[in-house]
């Protein structure tokens, strides 16, 4: 007997064993309401009882697919799950996995599926068919039609593993599922991923528009569950809430219930680095322009400028590599001087070129050129820059276009994240404060500022000033609880911290002490010896300024909380001004002591 025949017989024998009574063991994983942690449903899953530890249910389904018996095995598993669930659970829904292949198989009638799911006496209205993503569905409209028969008998439909596999928006739109289960790839780690958060937020909007309930799958981290709660996702499933087990359960895990009693609002993740509307590269500013080689003369360069009146400059290129840039205006000015044409016209064009131009690869991001804009050499404003591709000359860009586009990007970014510290800016800070006010729990709003920062910045320059601001932002990040507290950089040396930590005052005091200890190290040794620096006040009058320190103005709020954010931030700014005038590290307004 050939090895192939033996292999075929063993596969068939395994399938026959799988289809025998008692071959598959059902297990059930709870699905809970996120706001109450009430168990509202169970997903029925199967384990291979006839070869435990050797064959998984996925292995068995793959084998059944190869043998053309996938629908037969799936319905056998569904019958077993429904029979056990009907015997255990008096209430709640059951989610049963079925592939599109099983539902659409020509030999399988909708009545066969309906009978397999209800033969145990289970009410069809308690069954949700979970369409799995193991198959690519070529005709979603045909699948929707087949599901319509089962829906007509009271069953609901769920789309499984959305965001990974074959589930897609075409399926969502054609099938109109009652439930969409968001794949664990998007849910696991959502509390730490701004990208996952953005995608899930978009899915929430789609679900609201289409009247679909969402289930977050793969919930294992309490922080992820808090984010789902804050996003308003109604249902969740995962090991944190309950593991698959032979018996149905009536309540979520103790760890999850403890989390529900912690009413803190989650601090949502944000992108690390500059926030821009879309990626923008140097190539987007490319101007295709002719170049000259070092052997060409200044006379030829002048003729080129006549032929191309729109060119602001011309690159000097040797063997494909740019070695310099010739500015039109400078050439015209030099050639207009007495005897210049006689002396320079026939000389190499390298005599008038800038041999150290700004050269940028076409794939370089425009945001990365911010440091160039702040540099001391400002010739690029007139010269522009050379664009290359792997070192080879491609064309030119103008300084005007660079300044304009980078400024636009930074203005757009500053609306959402400060370009110096990359902390959230005004808009996300206000949004988070509004979320806290809606949460209705005890919070503290702290406005953080620096004393005498302008004289320091004027005296030492912006680079040293930026270093001091980064010192403050780093200390704030070091002393807050990132899971509870939110830091916003609202401009210059002004920060806002939104605290849910109960020990927020002690955290603030540690920041003040640490900054005041370290800020003198940013002063020159001669100024440190004097205890400060001499500069001019806002009226231009000479004045001595001591070391820069931190001041904080705080508003402590207890329920019931106000509905609007703006009066709270205004009050925190007033408290900060009180602290500055009093020469104190912190001034606190509470609900009882706040001025009207």
């Amino acid at each position: 007997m050939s090895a192939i025949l033996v292999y075929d017989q063993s596969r068939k024998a395994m399938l026959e064993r799988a289809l025998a009574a008692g071959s598959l063991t059902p297990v059930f994983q709870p699905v809970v309401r996120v706001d109450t942690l009430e168990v509202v449903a169970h997903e029925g899953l199967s384990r291979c009882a006839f070869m435990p530890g050797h064959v998984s249910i996925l292995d068995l389904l793959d084998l059944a697919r190869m043998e053309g018996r996938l629908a037969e095995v799936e319905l056998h598993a569904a019958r077993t799950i429904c029979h056990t669930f009907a015997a255990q659970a008096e209430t709640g829904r059951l989610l049963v996995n079925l592939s599109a292949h099983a539902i659409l198989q020509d030999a399988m009638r909708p009545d066969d599926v309906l009978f397999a799911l209800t033969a145990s006496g289970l009410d069809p209205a308690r069954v949700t068919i979970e369409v799995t993503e193991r198959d690519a569905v070529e005709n979603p409209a045909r699948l929707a039609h087949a599901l319509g028969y089962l829906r007509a008998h009271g069953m609901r439909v769920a789309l499984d593993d959305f965001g990974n596999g074959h589930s897609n928006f075409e399926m969502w739109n054609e099938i109109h599922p009652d439930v969409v289960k968001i794949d664990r790839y998007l849910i696991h780690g959502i509390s730490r991923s701004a990208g996952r958060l953005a995608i899930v937020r978009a899915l929430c909007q789609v679900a609201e528009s289409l009247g679909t309930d969402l289930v977050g799958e793969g919930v294992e981290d309490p922080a992820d569950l808090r984010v789902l709660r804050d996003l308003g996702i109604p249902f969740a499933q995962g090991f944190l809430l309950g593991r698959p087990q032979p018996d149905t359960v009536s309540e979520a895990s103790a760890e999850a219930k403890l989390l529900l009693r912690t009413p803190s609002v989650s601090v949502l993740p944000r992108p690390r680095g500059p926030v821009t509307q879309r990626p923008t590269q140097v190539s987007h500013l490319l101007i295709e322009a002719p170049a000259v080689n070092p052997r060409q003369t200044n006379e030829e360069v002048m003729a080129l400028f006549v032929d191309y009146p729109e060119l602001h400059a011309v690159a000097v290129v040797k063997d494909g590599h740019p070695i310099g840039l010739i500015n039109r205006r400078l050439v015209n000015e030099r050639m207009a001087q007495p005897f210049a044409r006689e002396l320079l016209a026939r000389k190499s064009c390298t005599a008038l070129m800038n041999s150290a131009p700004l050269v940028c690869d076409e794939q370089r991001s425009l945001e990365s050129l911010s440091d160039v804009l702040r540099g001391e050499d400002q010739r690029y404003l007139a010269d522009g820059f050379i664009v290359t591709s792997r070192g080879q000359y491609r064309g030119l860009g103008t300084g005007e276009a660079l300044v304009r586009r980078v400024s636009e990007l930074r203005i757009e970014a500053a609306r959402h994240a400060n370009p110096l510290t990359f902390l959230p800016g005004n808009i996300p800070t206000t949004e988070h404060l509004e979320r806290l006010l809606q949460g209705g729990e005890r919070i503290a709003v702290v406005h953080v500022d620096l004393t005498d920062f302008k004289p320091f910045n004027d005296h030492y320059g912006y680079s040293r000033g930026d270093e001091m601001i980064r010192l403050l932002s780093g200390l704030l990040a070091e002393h807050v609880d990132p899971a509870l507290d939110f830091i916003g950089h609202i401009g210059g040396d002004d920060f806002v911290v939104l605290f849910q930590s109960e020990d927020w005052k002690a955290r603030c005091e540690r920041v003040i002490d640490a900054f005041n200890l370290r800020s003198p190290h940013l002063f020159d040794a001669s100024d440190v010896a004097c205890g400060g620096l001499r500069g001019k006040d806002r009226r231009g009058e000479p004045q001595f300024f001591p070391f820069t320190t931190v001041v904080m103005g705080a508003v402590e709020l207890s329920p019931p909380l106000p509905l609007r954010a703006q009066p709270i931030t205004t009050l925190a700014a007033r408290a900060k001004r009180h602290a500055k005038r009093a020469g104190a590290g912190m001034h606190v307004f509470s609900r009882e002591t706040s001025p009207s």
Side-chain angles (χ1 to χ4, degrees):
M1 186 178 294
S2 70
I4 295 177
L5 182 59
V6 171
Y7 177 64
D8 287 341
Q9 289 179 343
S10 65
R11 289 195 308 183
K12 291 175 181 174
M14 183 178 294
L15 281 178
E16 293 302 329
R17 291 181 64 186
L19 291 168
S23 59
L24 301 179
T25 301
V27 292
F28 302 94
Q29 185 174 27
V31 178
V32 306
R33 283 188 62 92
V34 173
D35 54 353
T36 64
L37 295 188
E38 171 194 2
V39 175
V40 295
H42 287 81
E43 179 179 359
L45 304 166
S46 295
R47 301 288 184 262
C48 294
F50 63 97
M51 291 187 70
H54 297 282
V55 177
S56 71
I57 188 65
L58 296 181
D59 295 333
L60 180 63
L61 292 175
D62 287 338
L63 176 60
R65 183 192 304 276
M66 289 188 290
E67 292 294 313
R69 301 179 71 179
L70 179 61
E72 188 179 357
V73 173
E74 284 194 23
L75 288 187
H76 171 63
R79 268 192 300 270
T80 306
I81 289 170
C82 289
H83 180 81
T84 306
F85 183 80
Q88 288 189 14
E90 296 181 0
T91 60
R93 304 190 65 84
L94 173 65
L95 281 71
V96 180
N97 290 283
L98 286 178
S99 68
H101 177 87
I103 298 169
L104 293 176
Q105 187 179 2
D106 292 336
M108 191 72 61
R109 297 175 302 168
D111 277 338
D112 296 329
V113 178
L114 181 65
F115 178 76
L117 299 178
T118 59
S120 61
L122 187 62
D123 184 352
R126 293 177 61 193
V127 177
T128 297
I129 298 172
E130 196 169 317
V131 181
T132 62
E133 50 75 46
R134 288 174 60 82
D135 295 298
V137 179
E138 296 180 358
N139 191 341
R142 180 173 170 236
L143 177 61
H145 179 73
L147 291 170
Y149 177 85
L150 302 173
R151 272 184 159 142
H153 287 77
M155 294 184 181
R156 301 178 80 205
V157 174
L159 194 57
D160 191 23
D161 295 332
F162 194 89
N164 199 11
H166 298 296
S167 296
N168 54 46
F169 282 109
E170 182 184 6
M171 287 273 286
W172 193 336
N173 189 53
E174 289 291 341
I175 293 174
H176 295 288
D178 305 280
V179 177
V180 166
K181 301 182 77 174
I182 306 175
D183 188 75
R184 78 181 305 277
Y185 166 77
L186 293 173
I187 298 302
H188 186 65
I190 191 175
S191 60
R192 303 180 300 278
S193 170
R196 285 178 169 85
L197 175 64
I199 295 171
V200 173
R201 267 182 163 160
L203 293 180
C204 290
Q205 293 178 339
V206 174
E208 183 177 0
S209 300
L210 299 180
T212 307
D213 286 333
L214 292 178
V215 178
E217 294 187 290
V219 178
E220 300 176 10
D221 187 337
D224 293 340
L225 183 58
R226 277 196 292 267
V227 171
L228 298 191
R229 180 184 64 186
D230 292 349
L231 290 176
I233 292 177
F235 305 105
Q237 181 179 357
F239 288 172
L240 175 66
L241 304 163
R243 292 177 176 270
Q245 55 189 31
D247 298 320
T248 59
V249 297
S250 57
E251 56 185 21
S253 69
E255 183 181 4
K257 289 192 290 185
L258 178 62
L259 172 66
L260 188 65
R261 290 196 290 269
T262 306
S264 60
V265 175
S266 58
V267 178
L268 300 179
R270 300 195 59 79
R272 295 183 179 180
V275 180
T276 57
Q277 214 168 17
R278 57 185 61 85
T280 310
Q281 298 177 337
V282 166
S283 61
H284 297 144
L285 299 183
L286 173 67
I287 300 171
E288 293 185 356
V292 295
N293 63 66
R295 295 186 300 275
Q296 291 181 265
T297 65
N298 291 317
E299 189 173 42
E300 291 176 287
V301 170
M302 293 179 66
L304 186 65
F305 281 140
V306 172
D307 293 338
Y308 294 89
E310 73 282 1
L311 280 186
H312 68 284
V314 62
V316 182
V317 177
K318 182 179 181 180
D319 299 327
H321 301 281
I323 62 172
L325 192 65
I326 302 174
N327 183 293
R328 171 194 285 269
R329 180 178 58 81
L330 292 179
V331 169
N332 290 337
E333 289 177 355
R334 290 290 301 276
M335 288 303 186
Q337 295 176 5
F339 307 110
R341 285 183 177 271
E342 291 79 358
L343 295 172
L344 296 174
R346 296 184 179 280
K347 288 191 174 182
S348 167
C349 62
T350 58
L352 297 180
M353 77 176 185
N354 171 12
S355 59
L358 176 60
V359 180
C360 304
D361 186 84
E362 62 180 352
Q363 295 186 358
R364 183 174 178 179
S365 72
L366 288 184
E367 184 61 37
S368 70
L369 294 176
S370 297
D371 291 338
V372 175
L373 297 180
R374 292 194 292 263
E376 295 181 0
D377 186 356
Q378 298 292 294
R379 283 180 297 175
Y380 69 87
L381 288 174
D383 288 359
F385 54 95
I386 297 173
V387 181
T388 60
S389 176
R390 298 182 180 179
Q392 296 290 307
Y393 175 74
R394 279 288 316 278
L396 302 176
T398 67
E400 177 188 6
L402 174 62
V403 171
R404 181 175 64 250
R405 187 60 187 134
V406 170
S407 298
E408 290 171 355
L409 290 173
R410 296 188 72 184
I411 290 170
E412 175 63 23
R415 295 176 64 242
H416 297 274
N418 188 282
L420 175 61
T421 60
F422 302 142
L423 289 171
N426 280 287
I427 292 177
T429 300
T430 301
E431 289 174 349
H432 189 73
L433 178 54
E434 290 172 346
R435 292 176 61 231
L436 291 173
L437 295 178
Q438 292 170 3
E441 299 298 324
R442 185 184 187 91
I443 62 172
V445 180
V446 180
H447 192 133
V448 184
D449 197 6
L450 296 176
T451 64
D452 301 324
F453 176 72
K454 185 178 184 304
F456 176 90
N457 204 42
D458 292 344
H459 183 78
Y460 291 116
Y462 292 108
S463 178
R464 191 87 65 94
D466 289 351
E467 193 175 349
M468 179 169 281
I469 291 173
R470 283 193 288 263
L471 169 63
L472 177 56
S473 69
L475 289 172
L476 289 171
E478 181 181 338
H479 290 284
V480 303
D481 183 342
L484 296 174
D485 308 322
F486 181 100
I487 308 171
H489 188 177
I490 60 175
D493 57 332
D494 287 281
F495 295 78
V496 169
V497 185
L498 308 175
F499 280 105
Q500 296 180 87
S501 295
E502 294 182 0
D503 60 342
W504 66 270
K505 286 183 182 178
R507 293 175 183 271
C508 288
E509 289 167 357
R510 289 196 290 271
V511 171
I512 293 171
D513 292 342
F515 182 90
N516 294 348
L517 180 65
R518 293 168 62 174
S519 72
H521 298 295
L522 296 175
F523 288 72
D524 288 346
S526 58
D527 293 328
V528 171
C530 296
L533 58 85
R534 295 196 176 275
K536 293 182 179 181
D537 62 17
R538 295 183 183 276
R539 296 185 297 274
E541 298 296 327
Q543 185 177 331
F544 179 79
F545 297 96
F547 296 135
T548 304
T549 59
V550 172
V551 291
M552 298 185 182
V555 180
E556 189 174 25
L557 297 169
S558 300
L561 300 185
L563 300 178
R564 296 172 56 237
Q566 193 274 330
I568 306 302
T569 56
T570 300
L571 194 58
R574 289 175 61 186
K576 181 259 298 182
R577 290 194 292 271
H578 273 272
K580 271 194 171 182
R581 286 196 296 268
M586 182 164 59
H587 187 88
V588 180
F589 287 152
S590 64
R591 183 176 290 276
E592 293 75 18
T593 62
S594 299
S596 59

